[in-house]
Amino acid sequence: DSRDQTTSCRLSVCAFSLSLCVCLSSMSLEELCVWVGHEGERLWDLQWAPDGLALASCGSDRCARVWVRSRDDFRSPFSLFDALEGQHAKTVRSLAFSPDGRMLACGSFDATTTVWKREADGFEIMTTLEGPESEIKSVSWDCSGTFLATCSRDKTVWIWEACGDQDFDCAETLSKHSQDVKCVRWHPNSPILVSARYDDTLMLW
């Protein structure tokens, strides 16, 4: 969920089937609007942009979509700002906006991660990151927006470093997990990364 500064209420977004639902809450959740988000079998992930003005979704239709509010309130379905498609061969599993909101990373079951840059009229593909041998489960930016972590079913965590406007280099590969790595998250203020695997264990890096 995210705090809307104009209403001082809490906003929650839930994905079910192919639809998106926005709820507004002060003490309890109230359904505000529902709209069809994707054309595949299911949605997999949702992420608010850091400024709270855009919402990204991804699903089994192999694309990500970015939505913006069509009105000042949250009671109307969001408008499609851009569809990030044509780059992945399988489901897009995970999304992450960079801290400044200018980049969006999309991790896919095709074992690649795409990085997109926001322009005035939409998102442009910056690069496709390849390396892990199996599907990407989760992606996460560090607080500086310099490092992007991805984790995979191949039991590895990859750390990618932004080098210039278009380039990313693999800074390190972490391979101490003994099972699939399900999720990675950077600390919001410190260069600390946590990864979680299928055997219920967590690792801090």
Side-chain angles (χ1 to χ4, degrees):
D1 58 21
S2 176
R3 183 168 292 275
D4 181 79
Q5 296 179 352
T6 61
T7 63
S8 297
C9 294
R10 298 191 69 82
L11 294 168
S12 297
V13 182
C14 56
F16 51 92
S17 183
L18 307 180
S19 301
L20 296 166
C21 173
V22 177
C23 301
L24 182 64
S25 172
S26 55
M27 294 296 291
S28 61
L29 291 178
E30 170 195 353
E31 181 182 297
L32 296 179
C33 62
V34 178
W35 71 98
V36 175
H38 288 256
E39 299 176 355
E41 295 179 355
R42 62 179 58 88
L43 297 177
W44 279 98
D45 198 11
L46 298 167
Q47 291 290 326
W48 288 104
D51 61 8
L53 299 179
L55 172 70
S57 62
C58 65
S60 58
D61 56 358
R62 305 186 300 278
C63 77
R65 297 187 178 189
V66 179
W67 311 85
V68 293
R69 277 191 287 178
S70 54
R71 299 181 182 177
D72 290 337
D73 61 40
F74 286 91
R75 295 186 180 276
S76 300
F78 284 33
S79 298
L80 180 64
F81 176 68
D82 199 6
L84 287 56
E85 54 192 0
Q87 300 295 322
H88 288 291
K90 295 182 179 180
T91 292
V92 179
R93 174 63 180 86
S94 181
L95 299 165
F97 278 103
S98 60
D100 62 6
R102 295 177 61 246
M103 292 183 289
L104 179 65
C106 302
S108 171
F109 283 173
D110 66 8
T112 70
T113 299
T114 51
V115 181
W116 303 74
K117 183 177 181 180
R118 182 167 184 170
E119 305 290 352
D121 57 351
F123 281 79
E124 297 291 336
I125 184 69
M126 291 179 60
T127 189
T128 298
L129 307 177
E130 300 179 355
E133 298 178 356
S134 188
E135 57 195 47
I136 304 298
K137 295 289 190 178
S138 177
V139 295
S140 178
W141 293 93
D142 82 320
C143 58
S144 71
T146 301
F147 295 99
L148 174 68
T150 68
C151 67
S152 173
R153 194 173 181 178
D154 67 1
K155 308 174 187 177
T156 63
V157 176
W158 288 58
I159 309 298
W160 305 90
E161 182 178 6
C163 303
D165 292 336
Q166 303 288 335
D167 296 330
F168 283 75
D169 291 334
C170 179
E172 192 168 0
T173 303
L174 309 175
S175 55
K176 292 187 177 181
H177 281 291
S178 61
Q179 295 187 26
D180 298 4
V181 188
K182 179 68 172 178
C183 187
V184 285
R185 287 292 183 271
W186 287 98
H187 188 278
N189 306 117
S190 301
I192 301 295
L193 179 71
V194 61
S195 56
R197 65 189 185 194
Y198 275 171
D199 65 357
D200 297 329
T201 61
L202 304 169
M203 281 190 178
L204 281 176
W205 308 85

